[in-house]
Amino acid sequence: MSRNVSENIIAIIAREAVLEPEQVRADMTLEELGLDSLGLVETIFAIEETFDISVPFNANEPAQSGFDISSVGAIVQAVERLIAAKGQALA
Amino acid sequence: MPEAGRRRVVITGAGTVNALGRDVPATLAAMAEGRSAIGALDFPDVERLSVQIGAQVRNWQPEAHFETRNLTLYDRVTQFALVAAREAVARSGLDFSGDAGLAAGVVMGTAGGGVMTWNEAYRAVYAEGRNRVHPLVVPRLMNNAGASHIAMEFGLRGPSFSVSTACASSNHAMGLAFQMVRSGAAPVMIAGGAEAMLCFGGVKAWEGLRVMSQDGCRPFCATRNGMVQGEGAGVFVLEERDHARARGAEILAEISGFAMTSDASDIVMPSVEGAGRAISGALRDAGFAPDSVGYINAHGTGTAANDRTECAAIRTAFGAAAETVMLSSTKAMHGHCIGGTGAVELLACIMALRDGIVAPTIGYRHVDPECDLDVVPLAARELPVARALSNAFAFGGLNAVLALERA
């Protein structure tokens, strides 16, 4: 599951950043990926659609959103938490 | 100072419908009190939105204003435009029957036009599986419907059109009408803007950008977290000054200058340079020294990017005078009325110039070092203001700034 989540997210980010998935590393920041604000909202949209989750992210206060976008790895962890929370809510 | 011999343009009528009030006196009273009209949105499917607040015009009863046979042609945005235009024209005392209407025209701004008509027609064919929509959907939703119905209602047969530049639409509309009166193309123009996109489809589209606040509009505040939408219309009668004086009309304010610029850089992120050039251009067109301007009605959306950029742009254009000029965003009261917002906000400039009451920026809690100008926090001020600016900066990097002075 976790591996799939990570691979899926990296594929989404790579597509938005116009990179090959192999070029996307967990420690990379959005800036290093060359993702601007529109690329970020499109990435979040794709993540929501792929995993059927709601990502709490407000572009006005990224640090307050409870969704860590500081690196690719942080995004993967944040999505995994949201998927787990959704599973608990359904259980 | 206007050049010798140059035509001067004055405002002799004003009208509005917005969440703060159904007319100008009610709206100005609410602005002076610092009242907020932002609350829980109320329309079908609102529970499926992540943003559920806005400044809605409550208990709007179209039948109270229009005959049923006409209502079939009027989207909510047109209804707001017409009711505001009626107030403005009545206030001006002008009668456009006969030849008076031949040269007079109307320019109206709107970003979305008949969004609610689109919303309902799509719901019918997609969600409800119906195979027909109302036969008058097209004339109801087109962006120029408001301008055309105003022209028809008052017999305005001169230059008339609509302008659509997102959140700067009504400033562009009023600025163009100002230029037409100043150039002699028309002695009188009706101008303003209207918007009504507080419906499921309208707000759902905005959600995706993730720039909307879920808890309130706090322009220039360190805790601001986005814009809150409103709806409504503002309409004004712009008239050549000698024309107005000859008939003894009451002059609400003078429009002295206008400038528009394009950032030509990013489709959503604002630019200090582009906004600054629009502000400087309006000052130059009006012949205003920065330190002669007492009040700026800010675009002040409450987003992180706009408010920071706008304050930097004002500093660029005003220099040292930026530290003393009063600046407020009335969007925390009436919401961001998108294509109609500049028109609703021009009322705050008229209140400052005519009544000496500067509308506050409500919702303000903490200073943001990047927005540390005098934003008139929380409460209105009574101070004479001789000159004012009204800023509007749109998605797409299109900026439009009006310069006004006391009559």
Side-chain angles (χ1 to χ4, degrees):
Chain A
M1 171 68 184
S2 183
R3 185 179 164 77
N4 279 339
V5 169
S6 173
E7 280 174 5
N8 259 323
I9 291 172
I10 285 173
I12 289 167
I13 290 173
R15 190 174 67 230
E16 292 297 335
V18 200
L19 296 169
E20 294 301 324
E22 303 75 53
Q23 295 173 279
V24 177
R25 300 186 318 269
D27 65 326
M28 287 173 96
T29 64
L30 298 179
E31 207 169 24
E32 287 168 340
L33 291 159
L35 264 186
D36 64 6
S37 61
L38 289 185
L40 175 61
V41 298
E42 289 196 86
T43 300
I44 292 172
F45 169 72
I47 287 171
E48 288 182 323
E49 289 287 285
T50 303
F51 300 105
D52 192 22
I53 53 172
S54 257
V55 173
F57 179 78
N58 179 337
N60 293 290
E61 45 179 14
Q64 310 292 314
S65 299
F67 186 79
D68 187 352
I69 54 161
S70 59
S71 68
V72 172
I75 292 173
V76 171
Q77 283 179 20
V79 173
E80 282 173 340
R81 271 196 298 274
L82 288 169
I83 293 169
K86 186 183 137 202
Q88 280 168 7
L90 291 175
Chain B
M1 280 294 126
E3 295 160 26
R6 200 182 201 186
R7 286 182 197 82
R8 293 171 68 170
V9 183
V10 295
I11 300 172
T12 54
T16 190
V17 174
N18 66 83
L20 287 175
R22 304 298 174 84
D23 56 24
V24 171
T27 300
L28 294 187
M31 285 183 176
E33 279 173 34
R35 201 188 307 149
S36 172
I38 292 170
L41 288 170
D42 179 17
F43 49 69
D45 294 326
V46 68
E47 67 283 357
R48 290 173 54 204
L49 294 167
S50 66
V51 172
Q52 299 187 1
I53 58 169
Q56 255 182 317
V57 175
R58 298 282 183 169
N59 305 313
W60 179 249
Q61 291 175 315
E63 319 76 45
H65 301 281
F66 306 104
E67 290 178 33
T68 313
R69 68 187 165 85
N70 289 333
L71 264 181
T72 190
L73 282 163
Y74 299 163
D75 182 272
R76 186 174 172 96
V77 73
T78 299
Q79 297 169 26
F80 290 159
L82 274 170
V83 171
R86 286 174 182 173
E87 183 188 6
V89 172
R91 176 66 195 250
S92 77
L94 280 167
D95 176 1
F96 297 103
S97 59
D99 286 353
L102 277 176
V106 50
V107 189
M108 287 291 288
T110 185
V115 172
M116 293 203 181
T117 297
W118 286 106
N119 187 63
E120 284 154 29
Y122 281 158
R123 183 190 292 279
V125 293
Y126 293 136
E128 296 166 3
R130 283 155 58 186
N131 281 326
R132 274 181 216 96
V133 294
H134 190 279
L136 301 178
V137 154
V138 168
R140 196 154 65 189
L141 60 74
M142 60 194 190
N143 271 23
N144 59 313
S148 295
H149 284 297
I150 290 171
M152 285 187 272
E153 178 148 337
F154 299 104
L156 308 170
R157 286 159 288 161
S160 300
F161 53 96
S162 54
V163 175
S164 189
T165 50
C167 308
S169 299
S170 42
N171 268 25
H172 276 114
M174 295 185 293
L176 289 172
F178 157 72
Q179 291 180 335
M180 291 167 73
V181 174
R182 186 167 69 175
S183 74
V188 178
M189 290 293 292
I190 309 282
E195 202 72 69
M197 53 171 73
L198 293 178
C199 56
F200 180 72
V203 178
K204 180 55 80 179
W206 273 97
E207 268 184 13
L209 283 169
R210 296 175 184 270
V211 294
M212 310 257 287
S213 172
Q214 294 175 319
D215 57 21
C217 177
R218 295 182 294 280
F220 306 114
C221 175
T223 72
R224 70 187 183 280
N225 61 3
M227 52 177 274
V228 174
Q229 276 201 60
E231 62 177 353
V235 177
F236 300 87
V237 176
L238 277 49
E239 188 170 355
E240 199 273 314
R241 190 177 68 155
D242 290 344
H243 188 278
R245 282 182 164 176
R247 62 186 190 87
E250 187 197 343
I251 294 171
L252 302 177
E254 176 167 356
I255 304 183
S256 309
F258 173 59
M260 38 189 169
T261 63
S262 164
D263 298 342
S265 59
D266 191 281
I267 198 69
V268 292
M269 290 304 286
S271 129
V272 173
E273 190 269 343
R277 278 192 298 121
I279 297 168
S280 298
L283 291 172
R284 198 164 50 245
D285 190 43
F288 289 179
D291 62 4
S292 72
V293 175
Y295 172 62
I296 303 172
N297 183 281
H299 191 54
T301 57
T303 63
N306 174 83
D307 295 2
R308 179 177 65 224
T309 305
E310 183 166 12
C311 287
I314 289 168
R315 284 199 158 106
T316 305
F318 271 61
E323 310 309 317
T324 51
V325 69
M326 289 180 284
L327 167 79
S328 74
S329 168
T330 50
K331 286 187 176 74
M333 295 188 272
H334 51 67
H336 190 336
C337 302
I338 314 294
T341 211
V344 172
E345 291 166 29
L346 199 70
L347 294 169
C349 291
I350 290 176
M351 183 167 78
L353 296 167
R354 186 192 61 175
D355 306 331
I357 300 173
V358 176
T361 303
I362 66 166
Y364 190 83
R365 296 174 188 166
H366 303 295
V367 176
D368 175 351
E370 290 191 287
C371 303
D372 58 346
L373 300 178
D374 177 3
V375 299
V376 194
L378 304 176
R381 283 188 210 154
E382 289 195 44
L383 270 177
V385 173
R387 290 172 166 180
L389 297 185
S390 187
N391 288 347
F393 310 126
F395 273 176
L398 309 183
N399 312 301
V401 178
L402 289 156
L404 297 99
E405 61 194 304
R406 198 161 52 206

